[in-house]
Amino acid sequence: MTYINTVNSPVKLMRCGRQSKHVDLQKNFADAYNRKDVDAMAAAFTDDAIRVTPSGMFVGQEAIRRNLQDVVNLDLHDYSVERNVSRSFGNFVFNAGEWQAKLGDQPLHGYYTAIVVRDGSVAKIMEETVTVAAPGH
């Protein structure tokens, strides 16, 4: 197993080449978000993915793409994400962590969980839950 250090604790990652695909997925999603590239963001999800957010539950890549377009239209910017936990189970990886962004000059942050699976030779998000932290936390 490979370990990386995060703010809170070591994180166990997948073995072999699959590790870099999951790390790239997170980095590529954040990069696409900051470019406001909704199609690239949606492509990170499987065709039948589920995304649960404070604004609702979105099933399927097209519904997720529409939700991501709504998010981009809010003009959030300076998006970043940090994975705090990563556990592998067969072909699945469970990730949990924190995200940060700004709305105007107001900082926002929250938490996420994601189940990542291989779709052919590509790592994709099968399920994601995103929360917004309560004010003051």
Side-chain angles (χ1 to χ4, degrees), residues 48-104:
D48 59 350
I50 299 169
R51 184 169 199 254
V52 180
T53 74
S55 60
M57 182 170 52
F58 307 92
V59 179
Q61 195 178 61
E62 183 54 31
I64 291 169
R65 191 195 69 70
R66 287 190 303 271
N67 168 249
L68 293 169
Q69 183 65 61
D70 290 344
V71 172
V72 164
N73 290 344
L74 293 173
D75 203 27
L76 290 168
H77 57 93
D78 297 337
Y79 174 79
S80 64
V81 64
E82 180 177 347
R83 182 179 330 127
N84 301 112
V85 176
S86 188
R87 299 179 182 147
S88 63
F89 303 95
N91 286 331
F92 298 94
V93 176
F94 169 82
N95 291 329
E98 301 176 54
W99 63 268
Q100 296 180 15
K102 289 184 179 177
L103 181 58

Side-chain angles (χ1 to χ4, degrees), residues 20-30 44 116 123-125:
S20 65
K21 290 177 184 165
H22 294 88
V23 171
D24 288 347
L25 175 67
Q26 181 172 307
K27 179 187 178 309
N28 293 342
F29 186 89
V116 179
K124 291 199 174 190
I125 301 165

